[in-house]
Amino acid sequence: RKGWLDRLKAGLRKTGSSIATVFTGTQIDDALYEELEEALLMADTGVKATQHLLEDLKRRVKETKTTDPAAVKGLLADALAELLRPLEKALVIGEHTPTVIMVAGVNGAGKTTSIGKLTKHLANEGASVLLAAADTFRAAAREQLGVWADRNTVEIVSQEGGDPAAVSFDAVTAGRARGKDVVLVDTAGRLPTQLHLMEELKKIRRVVTKADATAPHEVLLVIDGNTGQNALAQVRAFDDALQLTGLVVTKLDGTAKGGVLAAIAQERPIPVYFIGVGEKLEDLETFNAREFAQALLS
Ligand code: GDP
């Protein structure tokens, strides 16, 4: 497990070092808080979460009567971990058979890769998985999902040029008939006209519920950790349209600034079931607020 944490730390290093410089002085004064505010905003933390963290930090400094700037960094880690804690939640399957998981995300976010990783993760837990290729618009998307299905040796429901909602309906029905534990529905990230994307996704959601009145049991959004405040905008838009139950935040091994998770925790505290820390099948980790806060500030 150590390797991925190092990759996460390496990915977040730039943020970590710019925040660290804030605490190299000898005094805890307004200048320190101003510098910290700037560093947090630069790290994609957003205005609201930044204000929240600063207030919480000042309270902690007062309470502990801290006078050493270096110790303030530790208090910031505590404040950040507390803010992020509501995002900590495990994806539970098995309450319904099959558990239907709809996965959304804009193209390039890492959706297909994350579905491949998630399939492996679920298979490791002993679950049988059926994949549904509901992105019927892009042949490449279907093919790529097929590659992940082969790598994981799981079945896939796919139909060239078919109706995405119909493919999803068929997959849920097939999942039940074949006794699968999980049906993972991969949806389109972009349509010829962007305006129709949300309508299409809402239709898939409705039709999945027609196939199984309790489904979808999970609606996940995959976001690219590098896209900062834009990722927050995506969370808002997809949550408004689909009532998200969880997030997967990818590419945190890259050059992500990481603060966007604090912004999400402040404004839309939707559980982060997993984080992506590499391109390989096993590079999927569960989210831990304390670990993440420490990685961000290390
Ligand atoms: P989609 O268009 O959302 O389905 O995105 P893809 O799954 O095709 O991923 C887009 C690119 O991001 C690919 O090159 C992936 O290998 C890469 N990628 C996905 N997740 C991660 C991650 O956690 N870390 C890194 N470094 N790359 C990732």
mmCIF file with all atom_site columns, all heavy atoms in Angstrom, residues 6 16 23 35 40 63 87 99 111 123 132 154 159 167 186 195 204 217 248 270 287:
data_model
loop_
_atom_site.group_PDB
_atom_site.id
_atom_site.type_symbol
_atom_site.label_atom_id
_atom_site.label_alt_id
_atom_site.label_comp_id
_atom_site.label_asym_id
_atom_site.label_entity_id
_atom_site.label_seq_id
_atom_site.pdbx_PDB_ins_code
_atom_site.Cartn_x
_atom_site.Cartn_y
_atom_site.Cartn_z
_atom_site.occupancy
_atom_site.B_iso_or_equiv
_atom_site.pdbx_formal_charge
_atom_site.auth_seq_id
_atom_site.auth_comp_id
_atom_site.auth_asym_id
_atom_site.auth_atom_id
_atom_site.pdbx_PDB_model_num
ATOM 1   N N   . ASP A 1 6   ? 2.950   7.216   -1.737  1.00 0.00 ? 6   ASP A N   1
ATOM 2   C CA  . ASP A 1 6   ? 4.082   8.005   -2.220  1.00 0.00 ? 6   ASP A CA  1
ATOM 3   C C   . ASP A 1 6   ? 3.732   8.699   -3.533  1.00 0.00 ? 6   ASP A C   1
ATOM 4   O O   . ASP A 1 6   ? 4.102   9.855   -3.753  1.00 0.00 ? 6   ASP A O   1
ATOM 5   C CB  . ASP A 1 6   ? 5.306   7.103   -2.419  1.00 0.00 ? 6   ASP A CB  1
ATOM 6   C CG  . ASP A 1 6   ? 5.904   6.667   -1.086  1.00 0.00 ? 6   ASP A CG  1
ATOM 7   O OD1 . ASP A 1 6   ? 5.594   7.323   -0.070  1.00 0.00 ? 6   ASP A OD1 1
ATOM 8   O OD2 . ASP A 1 6   ? 6.648   5.679   -1.062  1.00 0.00 ? 6   ASP A OD2 1
ATOM 9   N N   . GLY A 1 16  ? 1.831   20.993  -1.509  1.00 0.00 ? 16  GLY A N   1
ATOM 10  C CA  . GLY A 1 16  ? 2.442   20.810  -0.201  1.00 0.00 ? 16  GLY A CA  1
ATOM 11  C C   . GLY A 1 16  ? 3.558   21.798  0.053   1.00 0.00 ? 16  GLY A C   1
ATOM 12  O O   . GLY A 1 16  ? 3.619   22.432  1.115   1.00 0.00 ? 16  GLY A O   1
ATOM 13  N N   . PHE A 1 23  ? 4.622   28.453  6.582   1.00 0.00 ? 23  PHE A N   1
ATOM 14  C CA  . PHE A 1 23  ? 4.896   28.211  8.002   1.00 0.00 ? 23  PHE A CA  1
ATOM 15  C C   . PHE A 1 23  ? 6.385   28.277  8.357   1.00 0.00 ? 23  PHE A C   1
ATOM 16  O O   . PHE A 1 23  ? 6.799   27.778  9.394   1.00 0.00 ? 23  PHE A O   1
ATOM 17  C CB  . PHE A 1 23  ? 4.320   26.848  8.409   1.00 0.00 ? 23  PHE A CB  1
ATOM 18  C CG  . PHE A 1 23  ? 2.840   26.754  8.183   1.00 0.00 ? 23  PHE A CG  1
ATOM 19  C CD1 . PHE A 1 23  ? 2.323   25.981  7.149   1.00 0.00 ? 23  PHE A CD1 1
ATOM 20  C CD2 . PHE A 1 23  ? 1.952   27.465  8.991   1.00 0.00 ? 23  PHE A CD2 1
ATOM 21  C CE1 . PHE A 1 23  ? 0.956   25.906  6.932   1.00 0.00 ? 23  PHE A CE1 1
ATOM 22  C CE2 . PHE A 1 23  ? 0.584   27.392  8.775   1.00 0.00 ? 23  PHE A CE2 1
ATOM 23  C CZ  . PHE A 1 23  ? 0.090   26.615  7.748   1.00 0.00 ? 23  PHE A CZ  1
ATOM 24  N N   . GLU A 1 35  ? -0.966  34.735  3.590   1.00 0.00 ? 35  GLU A N   1
ATOM 25  C CA  . GLU A 1 35  ? -0.198  33.858  2.693   1.00 0.00 ? 35  GLU A CA  1
ATOM 26  C C   . GLU A 1 35  ? -0.866  32.498  2.562   1.00 0.00 ? 35  GLU A C   1
ATOM 27  O O   . GLU A 1 35  ? -0.916  31.911  1.482   1.00 0.00 ? 35  GLU A O   1
ATOM 28  C CB  . GLU A 1 35  ? 1.211   33.638  3.256   1.00 0.00 ? 35  GLU A CB  1
ATOM 29  C CG  . GLU A 1 35  ? 2.262   34.570  2.717   1.00 0.00 ? 35  GLU A CG  1
ATOM 30  C CD  . GLU A 1 35  ? 3.613   34.238  3.322   1.00 0.00 ? 35  GLU A CD  1
ATOM 31  O OE1 . GLU A 1 35  ? 4.083   33.117  3.099   1.00 0.00 ? 35  GLU A OE1 1
ATOM 32  O OE2 . GLU A 1 35  ? 4.156   35.088  4.059   1.00 0.00 ? 35  GLU A OE2 1
ATOM 33  N N   . LEU A 1 40  ? -3.956  28.335  -0.311  1.00 0.00 ? 40  LEU A N   1
ATOM 34  C CA  . LEU A 1 40  ? -5.113  27.438  -0.372  1.00 0.00 ? 40  LEU A CA  1
ATOM 35  C C   . LEU A 1 40  ? -5.944  27.709  -1.628  1.00 0.00 ? 40  LEU A C   1
ATOM 36  O O   . LEU A 1 40  ? -6.403  26.783  -2.300  1.00 0.00 ? 40  LEU A O   1
ATOM 37  C CB  . LEU A 1 40  ? -5.985  27.588  0.884   1.00 0.00 ? 40  LEU A CB  1
ATOM 38  C CG  . LEU A 1 40  ? -5.409  27.011  2.179   1.00 0.00 ? 40  LEU A CG  1
ATOM 39  C CD1 . LEU A 1 40  ? -6.258  27.414  3.382   1.00 0.00 ? 40  LEU A CD1 1
ATOM 40  C CD2 . LEU A 1 40  ? -5.292  25.487  2.104   1.00 0.00 ? 40  LEU A CD2 1
ATOM 41  N N   . GLU A 1 63  ? -7.170  27.988  20.845  1.00 0.00 ? 63  GLU A N   1
ATOM 42  C CA  . GLU A 1 63  ? -7.442  26.952  21.844  1.00 0.00 ? 63  GLU A CA  1
ATOM 43  C C   . GLU A 1 63  ? -6.185  26.300  22.389  1.00 0.00 ? 63  GLU A C   1
ATOM 44  O O   . GLU A 1 63  ? -6.079  25.996  23.569  1.00 0.00 ? 63  GLU A O   1
ATOM 45  C CB  . GLU A 1 63  ? -8.333  25.859  21.235  1.00 0.00 ? 63  GLU A CB  1
ATOM 46  C CG  . GLU A 1 63  ? -9.811  26.099  21.468  1.00 0.00 ? 63  GLU A CG  1
ATOM 47  C CD  . GLU A 1 63  ? -10.669 25.064  20.748  1.00 0.00 ? 63  GLU A CD  1
ATOM 48  O OE1 . GLU A 1 63  ? -10.156 23.963  20.423  1.00 0.00 ? 63  GLU A OE1 1
ATOM 49  O OE2 . GLU A 1 63  ? -11.835 25.384  20.504  1.00 0.00 ? 63  GLU A OE2 1
ATOM 50  N N   . LEU A 1 87  ? -16.468 12.873  3.454   1.00 0.00 ? 87  LEU A N   1
ATOM 51  C CA  . LEU A 1 87  ? -16.312 12.247  2.132   1.00 0.00 ? 87  LEU A CA  1
ATOM 52  C C   . LEU A 1 87  ? -15.883 10.782  2.239   1.00 0.00 ? 87  LEU A C   1
ATOM 53  O O   . LEU A 1 87  ? -15.901 10.048  1.253   1.00 0.00 ? 87  LEU A O   1
ATOM 54  C CB  . LEU A 1 87  ? -15.261 13.005  1.297   1.00 0.00 ? 87  LEU A CB  1
ATOM 55  C CG  . LEU A 1 87  ? -15.483 14.499  1.093   1.00 0.00 ? 87  LEU A CG  1
ATOM 56  C CD1 . LEU A 1 87  ? -14.434 15.049  0.130   1.00 0.00 ? 87  LEU A CD1 1
ATOM 57  C CD2 . LEU A 1 87  ? -16.882 14.794  0.566   1.00 0.00 ? 87  LEU A CD2 1
ATOM 58  N N   . THR A 1 99  ? -26.525 -5.263  -7.755  1.00 0.00 ? 99  THR A N   1
ATOM 59  C CA  . THR A 1 99  ? -26.342 -3.853  -7.413  1.00 0.00 ? 99  THR A CA  1
ATOM 60  C C   . THR A 1 99  ? -26.043 -3.122  -8.724  1.00 0.00 ? 99  THR A C   1
ATOM 61  O O   . THR A 1 99  ? -25.092 -3.469  -9.423  1.00 0.00 ? 99  THR A O   1
ATOM 62  C CB  . THR A 1 99  ? -25.159 -3.669  -6.440  1.00 0.00 ? 99  THR A CB  1
ATOM 63  O OG1 . THR A 1 99  ? -25.442 -4.384  -5.234  1.00 0.00 ? 99  THR A OG1 1
ATOM 64  C CG2 . THR A 1 99  ? -24.928 -2.204  -6.122  1.00 0.00 ? 99  THR A CG2 1
ATOM 65  N N   . LYS A 1 111 ? -13.066 7.895   -16.821 1.00 0.00 ? 111 LYS A N   1
ATOM 66  C CA  . LYS A 1 111 ? -14.243 7.071   -16.523 1.00 0.00 ? 111 LYS A CA  1
ATOM 67  C C   . LYS A 1 111 ? -14.031 5.616   -16.914 1.00 0.00 ? 111 LYS A C   1
ATOM 68  O O   . LYS A 1 111 ? -14.224 4.715   -16.085 1.00 0.00 ? 111 LYS A O   1
ATOM 69  C CB  . LYS A 1 111 ? -15.462 7.656   -17.246 1.00 0.00 ? 111 LYS A CB  1
ATOM 70  C CG  . LYS A 1 111 ? -16.751 6.898   -17.006 1.00 0.00 ? 111 LYS A CG  1
ATOM 71  C CD  . LYS A 1 111 ? -17.937 7.702   -17.502 1.00 0.00 ? 111 LYS A CD  1
ATOM 72  C CE  . LYS A 1 111 ? -17.787 8.175   -18.925 1.00 0.00 ? 111 LYS A CE  1
ATOM 73  N NZ  . LYS A 1 111 ? -17.837 7.080   -19.916 1.00 0.00 ? 111 LYS A NZ  1
ATOM 74  N N   . ALA A 1 123 ? -14.252 -7.724  -8.372  1.00 0.00 ? 123 ALA A N   1
ATOM 75  C CA  . ALA A 1 123 ? -13.929 -9.143  -8.606  1.00 0.00 ? 123 ALA A CA  1
ATOM 76  C C   . ALA A 1 123 ? -13.039 -9.671  -7.478  1.00 0.00 ? 123 ALA A C   1
ATOM 77  O O   . ALA A 1 123 ? -13.227 -10.790 -7.011  1.00 0.00 ? 123 ALA A O   1
ATOM 78  C CB  . ALA A 1 123 ? -13.249 -9.309  -9.961  1.00 0.00 ? 123 ALA A CB  1
ATOM 79  N N   . ALA A 1 132 ? -22.068 -2.767  -18.834 1.00 0.00 ? 132 ALA A N   1
ATOM 80  C CA  . ALA A 1 132 ? -23.004 -2.290  -19.850 1.00 0.00 ? 132 ALA A CA  1
ATOM 81  C C   . ALA A 1 132 ? -22.376 -1.110  -20.580 1.00 0.00 ? 132 ALA A C   1
ATOM 82  O O   . ALA A 1 132 ? -22.042 -0.106  -19.959 1.00 0.00 ? 132 ALA A O   1
ATOM 83  C CB  . ALA A 1 132 ? -24.309 -1.855  -19.192 1.00 0.00 ? 132 ALA A CB  1
ATOM 84  N N   . VAL A 1 154 ? -14.795 -10.465 -17.663 1.00 0.00 ? 154 VAL A N   1
ATOM 85  C CA  . VAL A 1 154 ? -16.210 -10.322 -17.289 1.00 0.00 ? 154 VAL A CA  1
ATOM 86  C C   . VAL A 1 154 ? -17.032 -10.116 -18.565 1.00 0.00 ? 154 VAL A C   1
ATOM 87  O O   . VAL A 1 154 ? -16.490 -9.735  -19.611 1.00 0.00 ? 154 VAL A O   1
ATOM 88  C CB  . VAL A 1 154 ? -16.455 -9.139  -16.314 1.00 0.00 ? 154 VAL A CB  1
ATOM 89  C CG1 . VAL A 1 154 ? -15.689 -9.331  -15.019 1.00 0.00 ? 154 VAL A CG1 1
ATOM 90  C CG2 . VAL A 1 154 ? -16.114 -7.809  -16.960 1.00 0.00 ? 154 VAL A CG2 1
ATOM 91  N N   . GLN A 1 159 ? -24.056 -2.806  -27.799 1.00 0.00 ? 159 GLN A N   1
ATOM 92  C CA  . GLN A 1 159 ? -24.825 -2.870  -29.039 1.00 0.00 ? 159 GLN A CA  1
ATOM 93  C C   . GLN A 1 159 ? -24.451 -1.682  -29.896 1.00 0.00 ? 159 GLN A C   1
ATOM 94  O O   . GLN A 1 159 ? -24.687 -0.534  -29.490 1.00 0.00 ? 159 GLN A O   1
ATOM 95  C CB  . GLN A 1 159 ? -26.317 -2.832  -28.684 1.00 0.00 ? 159 GLN A CB  1
ATOM 96  C CG  . GLN A 1 159 ? -27.225 -3.162  -29.831 1.00 0.00 ? 159 GLN A CG  1
ATOM 97  C CD  . GLN A 1 159 ? -28.665 -2.804  -29.464 1.00 0.00 ? 159 GLN A CD  1
ATOM 98  O OE1 . GLN A 1 159 ? -29.089 -1.674  -29.618 1.00 0.00 ? 159 GLN A OE1 1
ATOM 99  N NE2 . GLN A 1 159 ? -29.408 -3.772  -28.965 1.00 0.00 ? 159 GLN A NE2 1
ATOM 100 N N   . VAL A 1 167 ? -29.849 -0.251  -24.009 1.00 0.00 ? 167 VAL A N   1
ATOM 101 C CA  . VAL A 1 167 ? -28.701 -1.104  -23.638 1.00 0.00 ? 167 VAL A CA  1
ATOM 102 C C   . VAL A 1 167 ? -28.640 -1.252  -22.117 1.00 0.00 ? 167 VAL A C   1
ATOM 103 O O   . VAL A 1 167 ? -28.423 -2.355  -21.590 1.00 0.00 ? 167 VAL A O   1
ATOM 104 C CB  . VAL A 1 167 ? -27.372 -0.519  -24.185 1.00 0.00 ? 167 VAL A CB  1
ATOM 105 C CG1 . VAL A 1 167 ? -26.162 -1.233  -23.597 1.00 0.00 ? 167 VAL A CG1 1
ATOM 106 C CG2 . VAL A 1 167 ? -27.336 -0.595  -25.705 1.00 0.00 ? 167 VAL A CG2 1
ATOM 107 N N   . ASP A 1 186 ? -21.652 1.995   -18.029 1.00 0.00 ? 186 ASP A N   1
ATOM 108 C CA  . ASP A 1 186 ? -20.766 3.061   -18.516 1.00 0.00 ? 186 ASP A CA  1
ATOM 109 C C   . ASP A 1 186 ? -21.571 3.971   -19.434 1.00 0.00 ? 186 ASP A C   1
ATOM 110 O O   . ASP A 1 186 ? -22.133 3.525   -20.425 1.00 0.00 ? 186 ASP A O   1
ATOM 111 C CB  . ASP A 1 186 ? -19.593 2.440   -19.292 1.00 0.00 ? 186 ASP A CB  1
ATOM 112 C CG  . ASP A 1 186 ? -18.649 3.484   -19.844 1.00 0.00 ? 186 ASP A CG  1
ATOM 113 O OD1 . ASP A 1 186 ? -18.587 4.593   -19.274 1.00 0.00 ? 186 ASP A OD1 1
ATOM 114 O OD2 . ASP A 1 186 ? -17.959 3.204   -20.841 1.00 0.00 ? 186 ASP A OD2 1
ATOM 115 N N   . LEU A 1 195 ? -25.748 19.839  -24.921 1.00 0.00 ? 195 LEU A N   1
ATOM 116 C CA  . LEU A 1 195 ? -27.015 20.176  -24.285 1.00 0.00 ? 195 LEU A CA  1
ATOM 117 C C   . LEU A 1 195 ? -27.833 18.933  -23.944 1.00 0.00 ? 195 LEU A C   1
ATOM 118 O O   . LEU A 1 195 ? -28.552 18.880  -22.965 1.00 0.00 ? 195 LEU A O   1
ATOM 119 C CB  . LEU A 1 195 ? -27.807 21.070  -25.251 1.00 0.00 ? 195 LEU A CB  1
ATOM 120 C CG  . LEU A 1 195 ? -28.887 21.959  -24.645 1.00 0.00 ? 195 LEU A CG  1
ATOM 121 C CD1 . LEU A 1 195 ? -28.266 22.958  -23.685 1.00 0.00 ? 195 LEU A CD1 1
ATOM 122 C CD2 . LEU A 1 195 ? -29.635 22.670  -25.764 1.00 0.00 ? 195 LEU A CD2 1
ATOM 123 N N   . ILE A 1 204 ? -31.388 7.372   -19.073 1.00 0.00 ? 204 ILE A N   1
ATOM 124 C CA  . ILE A 1 204 ? -30.791 6.087   -18.680 1.00 0.00 ? 204 ILE A CA  1
ATOM 125 C C   . ILE A 1 204 ? -31.196 5.762   -17.246 1.00 0.00 ? 204 ILE A C   1
ATOM 126 O O   . ILE A 1 204 ? -31.617 4.650   -16.935 1.00 0.00 ? 204 ILE A O   1
ATOM 127 C CB  . ILE A 1 204 ? -29.249 6.129   -18.816 1.00 0.00 ? 204 ILE A CB  1
ATOM 128 C CG1 . ILE A 1 204 ? -28.849 6.205   -20.288 1.00 0.00 ? 204 ILE A CG1 1
ATOM 129 C CG2 . ILE A 1 204 ? -28.608 4.904   -18.151 1.00 0.00 ? 204 ILE A CG2 1
ATOM 130 C CD1 . ILE A 1 204 ? -27.356 6.383   -20.537 1.00 0.00 ? 204 ILE A CD1 1
ATOM 131 N N   . HIS A 1 217 ? -28.655 1.724   -7.768  1.00 0.00 ? 217 HIS A N   1
ATOM 132 C CA  . HIS A 1 217 ? -28.330 1.755   -6.351  1.00 0.00 ? 217 HIS A CA  1
ATOM 133 C C   . HIS A 1 217 ? -27.199 2.724   -6.046  1.00 0.00 ? 217 HIS A C   1
ATOM 134 O O   . HIS A 1 217 ? -27.057 3.192   -4.923  1.00 0.00 ? 217 HIS A O   1
ATOM 135 C CB  . HIS A 1 217 ? -27.981 0.334   -5.884  1.00 0.00 ? 217 HIS A CB  1
ATOM 136 C CG  . HIS A 1 217 ? -29.073 -0.632  -6.230  1.00 0.00 ? 217 HIS A CG  1
ATOM 137 N ND1 . HIS A 1 217 ? -28.995 -1.481  -7.307  1.00 0.00 ? 217 HIS A ND1 1
ATOM 138 C CD2 . HIS A 1 217 ? -30.302 -0.811  -5.691  1.00 0.00 ? 217 HIS A CD2 1
ATOM 139 C CE1 . HIS A 1 217 ? -30.126 -2.176  -7.399  1.00 0.00 ? 217 HIS A CE1 1
ATOM 140 N NE2 . HIS A 1 217 ? -30.936 -1.785  -6.431  1.00 0.00 ? 217 HIS A NE2 1
ATOM 141 N N   . VAL A 1 248 ? -15.555 9.351   -7.895  1.00 0.00 ? 248 VAL A N   1
ATOM 142 C CA  . VAL A 1 248 ? -14.225 8.776   -8.068  1.00 0.00 ? 248 VAL A CA  1
ATOM 143 C C   . VAL A 1 248 ? -13.353 9.923   -8.554  1.00 0.00 ? 248 VAL A C   1
ATOM 144 O O   . VAL A 1 248 ? -13.682 10.560  -9.558  1.00 0.00 ? 248 VAL A O   1
ATOM 145 C CB  . VAL A 1 248 ? -14.217 7.630   -9.109  1.00 0.00 ? 248 VAL A CB  1
ATOM 146 C CG1 . VAL A 1 248 ? -12.802 7.070   -9.278  1.00 0.00 ? 248 VAL A CG1 1
ATOM 147 C CG2 . VAL A 1 248 ? -15.194 6.522   -8.716  1.00 0.00 ? 248 VAL A CG2 1
ATOM 148 N N   . ILE A 1 270 ? -20.338 14.831  -1.232  1.00 0.00 ? 270 ILE A N   1
ATOM 149 C CA  . ILE A 1 270 ? -20.701 13.527  -1.793  1.00 0.00 ? 270 ILE A CA  1
ATOM 150 C C   . ILE A 1 270 ? -19.519 12.579  -1.544  1.00 0.00 ? 270 ILE A C   1
ATOM 151 O O   . ILE A 1 270 ? -18.376 12.951  -1.800  1.00 0.00 ? 270 ILE A O   1
ATOM 152 C CB  . ILE A 1 270 ? -20.991 13.665  -3.304  1.00 0.00 ? 270 ILE A CB  1
ATOM 153 C CG1 . ILE A 1 270 ? -22.205 14.590  -3.505  1.00 0.00 ? 270 ILE A CG1 1
ATOM 154 C CG2 . ILE A 1 270 ? -21.245 12.300  -3.943  1.00 0.00 ? 270 ILE A CG2 1
ATOM 155 C CD1 . ILE A 1 270 ? -22.369 15.085  -4.911  1.00 0.00 ? 270 ILE A CD1 1
ATOM 156 N N   . PHE A 1 287 ? -10.616 6.268   -0.239  1.00 0.00 ? 287 PHE A N   1
ATOM 157 C CA  . PHE A 1 287 ? -10.255 7.598   0.232   1.00 0.00 ? 287 PHE A CA  1
ATOM 158 C C   . PHE A 1 287 ? -10.251 7.644   1.757   1.00 0.00 ? 287 PHE A C   1
ATOM 159 O O   . PHE A 1 287 ? -11.198 7.193   2.402   1.00 0.00 ? 287 PHE A O   1
ATOM 160 C CB  . PHE A 1 287 ? -11.256 8.616   -0.319  1.00 0.00 ? 287 PHE A CB  1
ATOM 161 C CG  . PHE A 1 287 ? -11.062 9.995   0.211   1.00 0.00 ? 287 PHE A CG  1
ATOM 162 C CD1 . PHE A 1 287 ? -10.014 10.780  -0.232  1.00 0.00 ? 287 PHE A CD1 1
ATOM 163 C CD2 . PHE A 1 287 ? -11.913 10.513  1.173   1.00 0.00 ? 287 PHE A CD2 1
ATOM 164 C CE1 . PHE A 1 287 ? -9.826  12.057  0.264   1.00 0.00 ? 287 PHE A CE1 1
ATOM 165 C CE2 . PHE A 1 287 ? -11.735 11.794  1.675   1.00 0.00 ? 287 PHE A CE2 1
ATOM 166 C CZ  . PHE A 1 287 ? -10.687 12.563  1.220   1.00 0.00 ? 287 PHE A CZ  1
#
